[in-house]
Amino acid sequence: MGQIVERRELAGVVALWRAAGESVTLANGCFDLLHVGHVRYLQGARALGGKLIVAINSDASTRSLKGPGRPAMPEQERAEIIAALGCVDAVVIFDEPDVRALIREIRPNIQVKGTDYTRDSVPERDEVIAAGGRVEIVGDPKDHSTTELLRRIEK
């Protein structure tokens, strides 16, 4: 089971892992309602090796990205659910619209995105490369979405 880490403490946790010879993989998303696409994405990220950090958009960040009425679940509950997955080592909540600042802070070896991206279309790609890392695309085809799941539930 992973741990929920305060943003101000994350760099220290990463430093300890690196001192022990671990690499660091960063995944991120809103994870508003956990579905199989999320699980496959995180398992794919974990399969790349090293420690897996999952950065979760804060409530305010999720609302700005997804619109009114979102998130369906508060950030602390989303973080707790993701931290409970066996493939996750740490969860951190971030308030920005993307993870550029977090990449600068922890310099992950790998940043992963889902299959709705290509390596060239990842918004933070340049930041990852500048930090000495690489971008990987993992997970199943984008056949699942929280937005669609919420639409089906509302019907």
Side-chain angles (χ1 to χ4, degrees):
M1 185 165 142
Q3 58 182 323
I4 300 171
V5 179
E6 293 293 325
R7 175 90 174 252
R8 67 184 177 276
E9 299 168 353
L10 186 60
V13 170
V14 168
L16 290 173
W17 289 342
R18 287 217 168 95
E22 295 285 354
S23 64
V24 175
T25 299
L26 175 66
N28 69 283
C30 296
F31 302 99
D32 196 2
L33 292 179
L34 188 65
H35 56 70
V36 71
H38 291 137
V39 172
R40 291 172 181 164
Y41 165 62
L42 295 175
Q43 288 174 332
R46 180 52 175 233
L48 296 172
K51 297 288 190 176
L52 176 58
I53 298 170
V54 180
I56 296 181
N57 292 78
S58 69
D59 290 347
S61 177
T62 299
R63 201 167 10 268
S64 71
L65 292 168
K66 303 294 184 177
R70 299 283 297 275
M73 290 192 325
E75 61 193 37
Q76 288 298 331
E77 290 180 17
R78 292 183 283 128
E80 187 175 339
I81 289 168
I82 297 300
L85 298 175
C87 59
V88 174
D89 294 295
V91 174
V92 65
I93 298 169
F94 71 102
D95 207 35
E96 300 88 350
D98 63 43
V99 290
R100 284 183 177 93
L102 193 56
I103 289 166
R104 286 189 297 273
E105 292 167 24
I106 65 169
R107 303 177 64 83
N109 301 87
I110 304 169
Q111 182 201 16
V112 296
K113 288 290 196 177
T115 57
D116 46 336
Y117 291 91
T118 66
R119 284 186 182 157
D120 292 333
S121 71
V122 171
E124 306 91 352
R125 180 179 184 275
D126 291 342
E127 203 70 53
V128 174
I129 292 168
R134 72 180 199 269
V135 172
E136 295 289 342
I137 306 301
V138 299
D140 65 350
K142 186 71 173 177
D143 294 335
H144 311 91
S145 90
T146 300
T147 301
E148 184 55 36
L149 180 59
L150 287 169
R151 281 191 195 121
R152 287 197 330 244
I153 289 170
E154 286 175 358
K155 288 181 182 181

